Amino acid sequence: LFGGVDMAGLPPGDPQLVSMIVSHLKTQGLFDQFRRDCLADVDTKPAYLNLKQRVDNFVSNHLSNHTWSPHLNKNQLRNNIRQLVLQSGMLEQGVDRIVAQVVDPKINHIFRPQVERVVRQFLSPGSCSEEPLNTPWRTLTWKA
């Protein structure tokens, strides 16, 4: 039983089981560890550097069309630039490339084995088996 729920009766991929597993992964600090590992690498990747340069150029070009004055509403200007950057679509494309360069290479060799180990321990407490999970990986849904 976990939180009053009989896990043995839940089929693989059951939303309640997935939710319990994700909660357990979070309490084990796995998501925070993955986040730290990825953030440590991100600023060295070409996709990040390219996106940073594109955003910097976009902001510089936009600001070149404005003349500074003491009465300039900086918050309004900042929000306007933020909206323009979001509407341009450059963030979505850039983030997809960053994920491909930072996260994708770590999924099979680093993240999956750690997640499978913690899930195995969660589903069979006290078991030290290193066998692959019987539950297909695709049944686990990542929700932060």
Side-chain angles (χ1 to χ4, degrees), residues 77-117:
L77 180 59
R78 185 180 304 117
N79 288 335
N80 184 26
I81 292 172
R82 182 178 295 123
Q83 287 298 339
L84 290 171
V85 168
L86 289 173
Q87 290 170 2
S88 75
M90 77 174 88
L91 290 182
E92 287 179 23
Q93 294 170 357
V95 169
D96 287 345
R97 289 184 188 119
I98 291 169
V99 168
Q101 289 181 5
V102 175
V103 179
D104 290 354
K106 296 175 189 258
I107 286 178
N108 289 323
H109 302 322
I110 298 172
F111 299 160
R112 181 178 289 175
Q114 291 181 48
V115 169
E116 287 179 347
R117 179 184 48 78

Side-chain angles (χ1 to χ4, degrees), residues 46-133:
Y48 169 80
L49 298 171
N50 184 302
L51 178 60
K52 183 180 182 317
Q53 184 65 47
R54 290 181 65 203
V55 171
D56 286 348
N57 289 341
F58 186 91
V59 171
S60 293
N61 288 339
H62 185 76
L63 289 176
S64 70
N65 296 325
H66 291 81
T67 305
W68 185 88
S69 78
H71 305 292
L72 183 67
N73 186 334
K74 290 184 276 186
N75 286 333
Q76 183 178 3
L77 180 59
R78 185 180 304 117
N79 288 335
N80 184 26
I81 292 172
R82 182 178 295 123
Q83 287 298 339
L84 290 171
V85 168
L86 289 173
Q87 290 170 2
S88 75
M90 77 174 88
L91 290 182
E92 287 179 23
Q93 294 170 357
V95 169
D96 287 345
R97 289 184 188 119
I98 291 169
V99 168
Q101 289 181 5
V102 175
V103 179
D104 290 354
K106 296 175 189 258
I107 286 178
N108 289 323
H109 302 322
I110 298 172
F111 299 160
R112 181 178 289 175
Q114 291 181 48
V115 169
E116 287 179 347
R117 179 184 48 78
V118 172
V119 169
R120 215 177 1 264
Q121 291 170 349
F122 176 76
L123 295 175
S124 302
S127 170
C128 295
S129 171
E130 290 299 320
E131 297 173 16
L133 282 174

